[in-house]
Amino acid sequence: MNGQQNVIRIDSDICTGCGRCKDVCPVGAVEGVQGTPHSIREDVCVLCGQCVQQCSAFASFYEQHPACIAEKKRERGLFVSEAAPLFAAWHTGDAPRVASRLAEGCHSMVQCAPAVRAAIGEEFGMPAGALTPGRLAAALRRLGFDRVYDTNFAADLTIMEEGSELLQRMEGAGPLPMFTSCCPAWVRYAEQQFPDLLEHLSSCKSPQQMAGAVFKSYGAQLDGVDPRQVFSVAVMPCTCKKAEAQRPGMEHDGVRDVDAVLTTGELAAMLRQAHIDFAALPDEPFDRPLGSYSGAGNIFGLTGGVMEAALRTAYELVTGEPVPCTELVYVRGGEGIRHATLTMDGRTFRVAVVAGLQHVRPLLEAVRAGTCDVDFVEVMCCPQGCISGGGQPKVLLPFQRDEVYAARKAALYRHDAELACRKSHENPQVQALYREFLGEPLGHVSHNLLHTVYGQTR
Amino acid sequence: MNAFIVADPRRCIGCAACEVACAAAAAGQSVFAPGGQAAVFSPRLHLVAEAAVTAPVQCRQCADAPCAAICPRGAIRMAEGVVTVDSGLCIGCKMCMVACPVGAIEVRGGRASKCQLCTDRPEGPACMQVCPAEAFTLVRAQTLRAELVRRRAAGLCPAADARP
């Protein structure tokens, strides 16, 4: 398994030193002189993979490279027979390892993040914004996963825990503003640059880690297997999720929540290897109970989605009434920072949404100075949220990027709108999980499984 | 339209003399001259060789060049009918290689490199000069017009097996 530090790398054999990765790195972690191979400062890099998305310097057929291409593919954790070009900026891969583990036979459970279903079709010739949750579930089943569950379920669970935590803090139980902790690149940035503000981070694990923890406890119990026998895989639009799965604290009784993380692109490669024609698959449902989700869980995949999902539930918890309009369009938007207020039971609730990690610093400095008049902040590292993550299908031509990201966002909003259940607390399987296993949000079992302490970087 | 050089695969014998001549023109010295062996071999056209057919491929000097449109630094421009790389602006990002529909531009030594019709060479294009099979044609607008007229006059269809 690859170490937490080196998920994102630049191949000095292939890098031409054009420096375009510097343009998109939100934390200035790329260094190098123009025209010579660049490198990444590991102490600053947040592993978001935007450089991997941007890099256009590929190993050309005409050039001689010191190491042979097959060797490089092995080093990168790619299938050697995969025909995709190699770019200078790359992320470590886990697909061959997952494929061989599945072939060996194990009790496998898989989850996939919301943004994956709005992008993986692009890998198979479908138009940008093709929404394929049913094909995705079918594809994972064809690969041999025993339980095809969903990160969206855990996103609903996150709302229950994080929403309850926020309301407790509003009553004085902790510092405000509270920041979301779903985005591991953002958590990493906070740990590196603002360690004094970590108590402002929600103690919730991310949906990926919550899902993993529930798979290996409740899920294992349902299937009558030892949690140690469960192979837990996550399919993510994100490169930093690979590192998050290996963080200290992301385990219970010595059992890792998540054993392997694949990016959207890696899942597509696995499907091609297995000769599964994604576009021709039928729509199939995700498995119950841990694959059921609400529209709120589904919009975690784009900027403003966690905030919107949280407000749909928080409003009802505070006022006892459903939110007047389910679609809280004022928290929707694009890259940058936006503020909004919502009045609940006579109290004005102030929120902020940050998309693009480079935009968060002024807000953090205001918190440090005690001048930040916000209660709850969502931070997503990537420019449009997870749909633009570093592990998504690469949009190589810059002029197509806005269009593709807009199509993926529209797909997730469309999916939310077409689901009968659109609020996390109304997800019947989440309710059942609390009834049968967890007890209550922020209860003892939740504390052990679903929360962590940020700031432990090793 | 811009003038461009294209090779006829029916004439090409696959000797690759054009690649050598192009590289020598690019390096400014002959590989046969003293010290010539040390020159950087950087041809701007490539011989594509398949079992049944061979032909060199080089820039078509597109009127609305995709490489120029995609370049993030504006380093590729049209200069007097030739798609021209400004090496001072080029950052070597390879976006032009991605965009080119014929694979006629590449990054060498960190800078984009492509056929610019040897406009700085008094003898004209080196590839045309050296080719023993006379496979190359410098296609100009008037060449095409003349060919059109010739075929119509001969009552031939456009796909007729003929050369200007």
Short mmCIF file of all heavy atoms in Angstrom, two decimals, chain A residues 354-408:
data_model
loop_
_atom_site.label_atom_id
_atom_site.label_comp_id
_atom_site.label_asym_id
_atom_site.label_seq_id
_atom_site.Cartn_x
_atom_site.Cartn_y
_atom_site.Cartn_z
N VAL A 354 -17.23 27.69 0.73
CA VAL A 354 -15.97 27.97 0.04
C VAL A 354 -15.69 26.87 -0.97
O VAL A 354 -15.70 25.69 -0.62
CB VAL A 354 -14.79 28.06 1.04
CG1 VAL A 354 -13.49 28.37 0.30
CG2 VAL A 354 -15.07 29.09 2.12
N ALA A 355 -15.45 27.24 -2.21
CA ALA A 355 -15.05 26.28 -3.24
C ALA A 355 -13.72 26.75 -3.81
O ALA A 355 -13.60 27.87 -4.29
CB ALA A 355 -16.09 26.18 -4.34
N GLY A 356 -12.71 25.90 -3.72
CA GLY A 356 -11.35 26.30 -4.13
C GLY A 356 -10.59 26.69 -2.88
O GLY A 356 -10.88 27.72 -2.26
N LEU A 357 -9.62 25.86 -2.52
CA LEU A 357 -8.95 26.03 -1.23
C LEU A 357 -8.23 27.37 -1.09
O LEU A 357 -8.08 27.89 0.00
CB LEU A 357 -7.95 24.87 -1.06
CG LEU A 357 -7.53 24.49 0.36
CD1 LEU A 357 -8.71 24.34 1.28
CD2 LEU A 357 -6.73 23.20 0.32
N GLN A 358 -7.84 27.95 -2.23
CA GLN A 358 -7.11 29.22 -2.16
C GLN A 358 -7.99 30.35 -1.63
O GLN A 358 -7.49 31.41 -1.26
CB GLN A 358 -6.50 29.57 -3.53
CG GLN A 358 -7.51 29.87 -4.63
CD GLN A 358 -7.95 28.60 -5.36
OE1 GLN A 358 -8.08 27.54 -4.78
NE2 GLN A 358 -8.22 28.72 -6.65
N HIS A 359 -9.31 30.13 -1.58
CA HIS A 359 -10.22 31.19 -1.14
C HIS A 359 -10.51 31.15 0.36
O HIS A 359 -11.26 31.97 0.87
CB HIS A 359 -11.54 31.11 -1.92
CG HIS A 359 -11.35 31.17 -3.41
ND1 HIS A 359 -10.93 32.32 -4.05
CD2 HIS A 359 -11.49 30.23 -4.37
CE1 HIS A 359 -10.84 32.07 -5.35
NE2 HIS A 359 -11.16 30.82 -5.57
N VAL A 360 -9.98 30.17 1.08
CA VAL A 360 -10.39 29.98 2.48
C VAL A 360 -9.54 30.78 3.47
O VAL A 360 -9.97 31.08 4.57
CB VAL A 360 -10.40 28.48 2.86
CG1 VAL A 360 -9.00 27.94 3.10
CG2 VAL A 360 -11.29 28.24 4.06
N ARG A 361 -8.33 31.16 3.05
CA ARG A 361 -7.42 31.78 4.00
C ARG A 361 -7.98 33.04 4.67
O ARG A 361 -7.89 33.16 5.90
CB ARG A 361 -6.06 32.07 3.32
CG ARG A 361 -5.03 32.72 4.22
CD ARG A 361 -3.66 32.79 3.57
NE ARG A 361 -2.95 31.53 3.64
CZ ARG A 361 -2.20 31.15 4.69
NH1 ARG A 361 -2.05 31.95 5.73
NH2 ARG A 361 -1.59 30.00 4.68
N PRO A 362 -8.57 33.99 3.91
CA PRO A 362 -9.08 35.19 4.58
C PRO A 362 -10.10 34.87 5.68
O PRO A 362 -10.10 35.50 6.73
CB PRO A 362 -9.75 35.97 3.44
CG PRO A 362 -9.15 35.45 2.20
CD PRO A 362 -8.77 34.04 2.46
N LEU A 363 -10.91 33.87 5.41
CA LEU A 363 -11.92 33.47 6.39
C LEU A 363 -11.26 32.92 7.65
O LEU A 363 -11.64 33.26 8.78
CB LEU A 363 -12.82 32.40 5.75
CG LEU A 363 -14.13 32.10 6.45
CD1 LEU A 363 -15.09 33.27 6.31
CD2 LEU A 363 -14.76 30.84 5.86
N LEU A 364 -10.21 32.10 7.46
CA LEU A 364 -9.52 31.52 8.61
C LEU A 364 -8.79 32.60 9.40
O LEU A 364 -8.74 32.55 10.63
CB LEU A 364 -8.54 30.45 8.14
CG LEU A 364 -9.19 29.19 7.57
CD1 LEU A 364 -8.17 28.32 6.87
CD2 LEU A 364 -9.89 28.40 8.68
N GLU A 365 -8.27 33.58 8.68
CA GLU A 365 -7.58 34.65 9.40
C GLU A 365 -8.57 35.48 10.21
O GLU A 365 -8.25 35.93 11.31
CB GLU A 365 -6.75 35.50 8.43
CG GLU A 365 -5.39 34.83 8.24
CD GLU A 365 -4.60 35.26 7.02
OE1 GLU A 365 -5.08 36.14 6.28
OE2 GLU A 365 -3.51 34.69 6.82
N ALA A 366 -9.79 35.62 9.68
CA ALA A 366 -10.84 36.32 10.44
C ALA A 366 -11.22 35.53 11.69
O ALA A 366 -11.44 36.11 12.76
CB ALA A 366 -12.05 36.56 9.55
N VAL A 367 -11.28 34.20 11.54
CA VAL A 367 -11.59 33.36 12.71
C VAL A 367 -10.50 33.54 13.77
O VAL A 367 -10.77 33.73 14.95
CB VAL A 367 -11.72 31.88 12.32
CG1 VAL A 367 -11.89 31.00 13.55
CG2 VAL A 367 -12.88 31.67 11.36
N ARG A 368 -9.28 33.53 13.30
CA ARG A 368 -8.14 33.68 14.21
C ARG A 368 -8.21 35.03 14.93
O ARG A 368 -7.92 35.12 16.12
CB ARG A 368 -6.85 33.58 13.40
CG ARG A 368 -5.66 33.10 14.19
CD ARG A 368 -4.47 32.97 13.25
NE ARG A 368 -4.02 31.59 13.13
CZ ARG A 368 -3.13 31.19 12.22
NH1 ARG A 368 -2.63 32.04 11.35
NH2 ARG A 368 -2.73 29.93 12.20
N ALA A 369 -8.63 36.06 14.19
CA ALA A 369 -8.69 37.41 14.76
C ALA A 369 -9.97 37.63 15.57
O ALA A 369 -10.15 38.69 16.17
CB ALA A 369 -8.59 38.44 13.64
N GLY A 370 -10.86 36.65 15.53
CA GLY A 370 -12.12 36.79 16.28
C GLY A 370 -13.13 37.69 15.60
O GLY A 370 -14.05 38.20 16.23
N THR A 371 -12.97 37.92 14.30
CA THR A 371 -13.88 38.83 13.60
C THR A 371 -14.77 38.11 12.59
O THR A 371 -15.40 38.74 11.76
CB THR A 371 -13.07 39.90 12.84
OG1 THR A 371 -12.18 39.24 11.93
CG2 THR A 371 -12.27 40.77 13.77
N CYS A 372 -14.83 36.79 12.66
CA CYS A 372 -15.61 36.03 11.69
C CYS A 372 -17.03 35.82 12.23
O CYS A 372 -17.22 35.11 13.20
CB CYS A 372 -14.94 34.69 11.41
SG CYS A 372 -15.86 33.68 10.25
N ASP A 373 -18.00 36.48 11.61
CA ASP A 373 -19.37 36.37 12.12
C ASP A 373 -20.18 35.36 11.31
O ASP A 373 -21.18 35.68 10.69
CB ASP A 373 -20.06 37.73 12.14
CG ASP A 373 -20.00 38.41 10.78
OD1 ASP A 373 -19.31 37.87 9.89
OD2 ASP A 373 -20.65 39.45 10.61
N VAL A 374 -19.70 34.12 11.30
CA VAL A 374 -20.34 33.03 10.57
C VAL A 374 -20.49 31.85 11.54
O VAL A 374 -19.66 31.67 12.44
CB VAL A 374 -19.49 32.62 9.34
CG1 VAL A 374 -20.07 31.41 8.64
CG2 VAL A 374 -19.39 33.78 8.36
N ASP A 375 -21.57 31.06 11.36
CA ASP A 375 -21.80 29.93 12.25
C ASP A 375 -21.30 28.61 11.67
O ASP A 375 -20.82 27.74 12.39
CB ASP A 375 -23.30 29.79 12.55
CG ASP A 375 -23.84 31.04 13.23
OD1 ASP A 375 -23.23 31.49 14.20
OD2 ASP A 375 -24.86 31.58 12.75
N PHE A 376 -21.45 28.47 10.34
CA PHE A 376 -21.16 27.17 9.74
C PHE A 376 -20.53 27.39 8.37
O PHE A 376 -21.04 28.19 7.59
CB PHE A 376 -22.47 26.37 9.62
CG PHE A 376 -22.31 24.96 9.13
CD1 PHE A 376 -21.19 24.20 9.44
CD2 PHE A 376 -23.32 24.36 8.37
CE1 PHE A 376 -21.07 22.89 8.99
CE2 PHE A 376 -23.21 23.05 7.92
CZ PHE A 376 -22.08 22.31 8.24
N VAL A 377 -19.42 26.72 8.12
CA VAL A 377 -18.71 26.90 6.86
C VAL A 377 -18.49 25.55 6.19
O VAL A 377 -18.00 24.62 6.82
CB VAL A 377 -17.32 27.57 7.07
CG1 VAL A 377 -16.67 27.88 5.73
CG2 VAL A 377 -17.44 28.81 7.93
N GLU A 378 -18.85 25.48 4.92
CA GLU A 378 -18.50 24.31 4.10
C GLU A 378 -17.27 24.67 3.30
O GLU A 378 -17.24 25.71 2.65
CB GLU A 378 -19.66 23.96 3.15
CG GLU A 378 -19.30 22.80 2.21
CD GLU A 378 -20.15 22.76 0.95
OE1 GLU A 378 -21.39 22.63 1.07
OE2 GLU A 378 -19.57 22.87 -0.15
N VAL A 379 -16.26 23.80 3.32
CA VAL A 379 -15.07 24.04 2.50
C VAL A 379 -14.83 22.83 1.60
O VAL A 379 -14.79 21.70 2.07
CB VAL A 379 -13.80 24.29 3.35
CG1 VAL A 379 -12.63 24.66 2.45
CG2 VAL A 379 -14.04 25.37 4.38
N MET A 380 -14.70 23.08 0.31
CA MET A 380 -14.31 22.05 -0.65
C MET A 380 -13.06 22.56 -1.36
O MET A 380 -13.02 23.69 -1.83
CB MET A 380 -15.41 21.80 -1.68
CG MET A 380 -16.67 21.18 -1.11
SD MET A 380 -16.42 19.50 -0.54
CE MET A 380 -17.87 19.31 0.49
N CYS A 381 -12.06 21.69 -1.44
CA CYS A 381 -10.78 22.11 -2.01
C CYS A 381 -10.87 22.38 -3.51
O CYS A 381 -10.27 23.31 -4.03
CB CYS A 381 -9.75 21.03 -1.74
SG CYS A 381 -8.21 21.25 -2.63
N CYS A 382 -11.61 21.53 -4.23
CA CYS A 382 -11.59 21.61 -5.69
C CYS A 382 -12.54 22.70 -6.21
O CYS A 382 -13.51 23.03 -5.53
CB CYS A 382 -11.87 20.23 -6.29
SG CYS A 382 -10.51 19.09 -5.94
N PRO A 383 -12.28 23.24 -7.39
CA PRO A 383 -12.94 24.48 -7.80
C PRO A 383 -14.46 24.44 -7.84
O PRO A 383 -15.10 25.45 -7.57
CB PRO A 383 -12.37 24.75 -9.20
CG PRO A 383 -11.70 23.49 -9.63
CD PRO A 383 -11.27 22.81 -8.38
N GLN A 384 -15.05 23.28 -8.17
CA GLN A 384 -16.52 23.20 -8.21
C GLN A 384 -17.02 22.10 -7.29
O GLN A 384 -18.12 21.58 -7.46
CB GLN A 384 -16.99 22.91 -9.65
CG GLN A 384 -16.54 23.90 -10.69
CD GLN A 384 -17.29 25.22 -10.58
OE1 GLN A 384 -18.39 25.30 -10.02
NE2 GLN A 384 -16.72 26.28 -11.11
N GLY A 385 -16.20 21.73 -6.29
CA GLY A 385 -16.54 20.60 -5.43
C GLY A 385 -16.04 19.31 -6.04
O GLY A 385 -15.24 19.31 -7.00
N CYS A 386 -16.53 18.17 -5.51
CA CYS A 386 -15.96 16.87 -5.87
C CYS A 386 -16.14 16.51 -7.34
O CYS A 386 -15.36 15.72 -7.88
CB CYS A 386 -16.58 15.78 -5.02
SG CYS A 386 -16.60 16.17 -3.27
N ILE A 387 -17.16 17.06 -8.01
CA ILE A 387 -17.34 16.73 -9.43
C ILE A 387 -16.12 17.18 -10.25
O ILE A 387 -15.89 16.67 -11.35
CB ILE A 387 -18.64 17.34 -10.02
CG1 ILE A 387 -18.69 18.84 -9.78
CG2 ILE A 387 -19.88 16.68 -9.48
CD1 ILE A 387 -18.37 19.66 -10.94
N SER A 388 -15.34 18.13 -9.71
CA SER A 388 -14.12 18.58 -10.40
C SER A 388 -12.87 18.03 -9.71
O SER A 388 -11.79 18.60 -9.82
CB SER A 388 -14.07 20.11 -10.43
OG SER A 388 -14.15 20.64 -9.11
N GLY A 389 -13.02 16.92 -8.99
CA GLY A 389 -11.92 16.36 -8.21
C GLY A 389 -10.76 15.83 -9.04
O GLY A 389 -10.89 15.59 -10.24
N GLY A 390 -9.65 15.60 -8.37
CA GLY A 390 -8.42 15.17 -9.04
C GLY A 390 -8.47 13.74 -9.56
O GLY A 390 -7.62 13.34 -10.35
N GLY A 391 -9.47 12.96 -9.13
CA GLY A 391 -9.57 11.57 -9.59
C GLY A 391 -10.63 11.36 -10.64
O GLY A 391 -10.92 10.25 -11.04
N GLN A 392 -11.24 12.45 -11.10
CA GLN A 392 -12.30 12.37 -12.10
C GLN A 392 -11.71 12.17 -13.50
O GLN A 392 -10.52 12.41 -13.71
CB GLN A 392 -13.14 13.67 -12.09
CG GLN A 392 -14.03 13.82 -10.86
CD GLN A 392 -15.27 12.94 -10.90
OE1 GLN A 392 -15.18 11.73 -10.84
NE2 GLN A 392 -16.44 13.54 -10.95
N PRO A 393 -12.54 11.76 -14.47
CA PRO A 393 -12.04 11.70 -15.85
C PRO A 393 -11.44 13.06 -16.23
O PRO A 393 -11.98 14.10 -15.90
CB PRO A 393 -13.32 11.42 -16.66
CG PRO A 393 -14.22 10.72 -15.70
CD PRO A 393 -13.94 11.34 -14.37
N LYS A 394 -10.29 12.98 -16.88
CA LYS A 394 -9.53 14.19 -17.16
C LYS A 394 -10.19 15.00 -18.27
O LYS A 394 -10.49 14.46 -19.34
CB LYS A 394 -8.13 13.76 -17.57
CG LYS A 394 -7.13 14.84 -17.68
CD LYS A 394 -5.73 14.23 -17.59
CE LYS A 394 -4.68 15.23 -17.94
NZ LYS A 394 -3.40 14.95 -17.31
N VAL A 395 -10.37 16.29 -18.02
CA VAL A 395 -10.86 17.19 -19.07
C VAL A 395 -9.63 17.94 -19.57
O VAL A 395 -9.18 18.91 -18.97
CB VAL A 395 -11.91 18.18 -18.54
CG1 VAL A 395 -12.52 18.98 -19.69
CG2 VAL A 395 -13.00 17.46 -17.78
N LEU A 396 -9.07 17.43 -20.66
CA LEU A 396 -7.75 17.91 -21.08
C LEU A 396 -7.80 19.30 -21.70
O LEU A 396 -6.89 20.10 -21.51
CB LEU A 396 -7.15 16.91 -22.06
CG LEU A 396 -5.66 17.03 -22.34
CD1 LEU A 396 -4.86 17.06 -21.05
CD2 LEU A 396 -5.21 15.88 -23.20
N LEU A 397 -8.87 19.59 -22.43
CA LEU A 397 -8.91 20.87 -23.12
C LEU A 397 -9.52 21.92 -22.19
O LEU A 397 -10.67 21.80 -21.80
CB LEU A 397 -9.72 20.75 -24.41
CG LEU A 397 -9.23 19.66 -25.37
CD1 LEU A 397 -10.10 19.61 -26.61
CD2 LEU A 397 -7.76 19.87 -25.75
N PRO A 398 -8.75 22.95 -21.85
CA PRO A 398 -9.20 23.92 -20.84
C PRO A 398 -10.54 24.58 -21.19
O PRO A 398 -11.35 24.84 -20.32
CB PRO A 398 -8.08 24.96 -20.81
CG PRO A 398 -6.90 24.27 -21.36
CD PRO A 398 -7.40 23.25 -22.33
N PHE A 399 -10.78 24.80 -22.50
CA PHE A 399 -12.00 25.51 -22.86
C PHE A 399 -13.25 24.64 -22.68
O PHE A 399 -14.36 25.15 -22.70
CB PHE A 399 -11.92 26.07 -24.28
CG PHE A 399 -11.80 25.02 -25.36
CD1 PHE A 399 -12.94 24.43 -25.88
CD2 PHE A 399 -10.56 24.63 -25.84
CE1 PHE A 399 -12.85 23.46 -26.86
CE2 PHE A 399 -10.45 23.66 -26.81
CZ PHE A 399 -11.60 23.06 -27.33
N GLN A 400 -13.05 23.34 -22.49
CA GLN A 400 -14.20 22.47 -22.25
C GLN A 400 -14.52 22.31 -20.77
O GLN A 400 -15.54 21.76 -20.40
CB GLN A 400 -13.93 21.07 -22.82
CG GLN A 400 -13.93 21.03 -24.34
CD GLN A 400 -13.70 19.63 -24.87
OE1 GLN A 400 -13.18 18.77 -24.17
NE2 GLN A 400 -14.06 19.41 -26.11
N ARG A 401 -13.60 22.77 -19.92
CA ARG A 401 -13.70 22.44 -18.50
C ARG A 401 -14.97 23.00 -17.86
O ARG A 401 -15.70 22.27 -17.19
CB ARG A 401 -12.45 22.96 -17.78
CG ARG A 401 -12.05 22.10 -16.62
CD ARG A 401 -10.64 22.38 -16.16
NE ARG A 401 -9.66 21.71 -16.99
CZ ARG A 401 -8.37 22.03 -17.01
NH1 ARG A 401 -7.91 23.04 -16.28
NH2 ARG A 401 -7.54 21.36 -17.78
N ASP A 402 -15.26 24.27 -18.08
CA ASP A 402 -16.44 24.89 -17.45
C ASP A 402 -17.71 24.16 -17.86
O ASP A 402 -18.60 23.91 -17.05
CB ASP A 402 -16.54 26.37 -17.85
CG ASP A 402 -15.45 27.20 -17.20
OD1 ASP A 402 -14.78 26.66 -16.29
OD2 ASP A 402 -15.27 28.36 -17.60
N GLU A 403 -17.77 23.85 -19.15
CA GLU A 403 -18.95 23.19 -19.71
C GLU A 403 -19.15 21.80 -19.08
O GLU A 403 -20.26 21.43 -18.69
CB GLU A 403 -18.69 23.05 -21.21
CG GLU A 403 -19.84 22.77 -22.09
CD GLU A 403 -19.33 22.64 -23.54
OE1 GLU A 403 -18.61 23.54 -24.01
OE2 GLU A 403 -19.62 21.62 -24.13
N VAL A 404 -18.06 21.04 -18.99
CA VAL A 404 -18.15 19.68 -18.44
C VAL A 404 -18.52 19.74 -16.95
O VAL A 404 -19.40 18.98 -16.50
CB VAL A 404 -16.81 18.93 -18.64
CG1 VAL A 404 -16.79 17.62 -17.88
CG2 VAL A 404 -16.58 18.67 -20.12
N TYR A 405 -17.89 20.65 -16.21
CA TYR A 405 -18.21 20.73 -14.78
C TYR A 405 -19.67 21.15 -14.58
O TYR A 405 -20.36 20.64 -13.70
CB TYR A 405 -17.27 21.72 -14.07
CG TYR A 405 -15.83 21.26 -13.97
CD1 TYR A 405 -14.82 22.13 -13.56
CD2 TYR A 405 -15.48 19.95 -14.28
CE1 TYR A 405 -13.50 21.71 -13.47
CE2 TYR A 405 -14.15 19.53 -14.20
CZ TYR A 405 -13.17 20.42 -13.80
OH TYR A 405 -11.86 20.00 -13.71
N ALA A 406 -20.15 22.07 -15.40
CA ALA A 406 -21.54 22.51 -15.29
C ALA A 406 -22.49 21.34 -15.57
O ALA A 406 -23.50 21.18 -14.88
CB ALA A 406 -21.81 23.66 -16.25
N ALA A 407 -22.14 20.51 -16.55
CA ALA A 407 -23.00 19.37 -16.89
C ALA A 407 -23.02 18.35 -15.76
O ALA A 407 -24.07 17.79 -15.42
CB ALA A 407 -22.50 18.72 -18.19
N ARG A 408 -21.85 18.12 -15.14
CA ARG A 408 -21.81 17.16 -14.02
C ARG A 408 -22.62 17.69 -12.83
O ARG A 408 -23.33 16.93 -12.17
CB ARG A 408 -20.35 16.93 -13.58
CG ARG A 408 -19.51 16.19 -14.60
CD ARG A 408 -18.07 16.08 -14.08
NE ARG A 408 -17.15 15.51 -15.07
CZ ARG A 408 -15.83 15.52 -14.93
NH1 ARG A 408 -15.28 16.08 -13.86
NH2 ARG A 408 -15.04 14.99 -15.85
#
